[in-house]
Each structure stands twice: as structure tokens, then as C-alpha cells.
Amino acid sequence: MKLQIIPRQDAIPAFGPQTNRIQHIAYYPSGNTYEGNEITEKVVSKILSEIPRGIEVRLSLDPYGETDFLEIICDGEWLALGSSSNGGQENYYSYNPAFAGTEELCPLTSGGQSPIEKYLAINDIAAGTEADAYFIRTGGLYPRIDWAKQLG
């Protein structure tokens, strides 16, 4: 997979701390979902508090959960983020420069099947949780972590 690395930035654009852009939440593998008005601040807080303990969830800006989403996979030590937008034409992944150039796998799998390379997962769970909160509030990628954009 060819990637364009987007280095972290120090500046974070202002955003509303209680804003919610998410329209659909799906937990894996349980299949539990939340939609529209079911996505309350309590649900958002629950998800953010579960991340450090381990979670696999998809947050979508689309009411059907099919497009414009952020996939979060965490086991408490590793956290992988995958964002897909524009009908799957634009894909971004969390990026770990400490493992650049290696194909070593972390213990996480996407969808319970596809192994995730260490260079696409981070160990800074707090920063990953902030990235998830930022996506919930803005629908965008958190600028204070490195990202890898999939090319071609």
C-alpha cells in the first residue's frame, strides 16, 4: 500500500466541546448500534471512556453508517484509527513513525480478520482518544497525531 505521510501539527483548530457530528455508531463484534438522537453526550462519554480499556467501534457521519466513518480499534496498549470518506475514495490511517519501513504486526485486527501493521497503530492511547473526540466533535482528522493517506 502506498502512503502519503501527514505529520502531526501542534495547532488544533477551535471546536465546540459538546458538538456532535456523529450520526451512526456501531460496536463490533456485538453489533450494538446507536443512531441519530440516540447518540447523546452520555453515549459519547461512554465510548471515550471505553477506549483505553479496549474497544472496536465505527463512528459515522452518515446516518446509515456506511460511509464517512472513523474505525477505532484498541486493546488498551495499541490503538488503530482508520478513516474513510467520499465513498471509500479517501482513506487515512493513524501512523506510527517509530515503525516506519517495517511490516511487523501489532496484536490488533480490523474486522476481527485483517492484521494491522505496527506503523498503522499508535501506543499513545490518550492522543488516540483525543483524536476520537475530535472526530466526534468536528468530523475531521485530529491534527496532533501523524496520519497516513492511502494513495492509489
Side-chain angles (χ1 to χ4, degrees):
M1 170 171 35
K2 289 186 176 188
L3 300 171
Q4 173 190 352
I5 306 308
I6 302 165
R8 72 182 302 276
Q9 302 169 19
D10 289 331
I12 300 173
F15 63 94
Q18 299 298 312
T19 304
N20 178 16
R21 298 281 316 278
I22 303 304
Q23 296 297 310
H24 189 273
I25 297 171
Y27 276 88
Y28 296 96
S30 71
N32 293 341
T33 62
Y34 296 91
E35 298 175 344
N37 292 336
E38 295 174 333
I39 304 172
T40 62
E41 191 58 34
K42 183 176 179 179
V43 170
V44 169
S45 294
K46 176 181 178 269
I47 289 171
L48 294 175
S49 71
E50 289 175 345
I51 292 169
R53 296 188 304 265
I55 193 171
E56 188 168 345
V57 67
R58 180 184 284 190
L59 309 175
S60 183
L61 305 175
D62 169 54
Y64 303 105
E66 297 175 4
T67 61
D68 299 327
F69 62 82
L70 180 70
E71 178 183 54
I72 305 162
I73 305 167
C74 184
D75 67 0
E77 293 182 30
W78 290 91
L79 185 139
L81 302 173
S83 173
S84 181
S85 59
N86 295 327
Q89 297 300 309
E90 290 186 40
N91 298 299
Y92 295 85
Y93 306 95
S94 50
Y95 181 72
N96 189 336
F99 293 95
T102 70
E103 296 297 320
E104 190 175 349
L105 301 176
C106 73
L108 303 176
T109 58
S110 178
Q113 297 178 4
S114 302
I116 298 172
E117 294 87 351
K118 286 185 175 180
Y119 68 89
L120 297 177
I122 59 176
N123 299 107
D124 187 342
I125 306 303
T129 302
E130 290 172 16
D132 302 328
Y134 187 83
F135 184 82
I136 290 167
R137 306 302 183 198
T138 70
L141 300 177
Y142 186 59
R144 294 203 65 195
I145 67 169
D146 296 303
W147 291 93
K149 179 180 181 181
Q150 183 176 353
L151 301 175

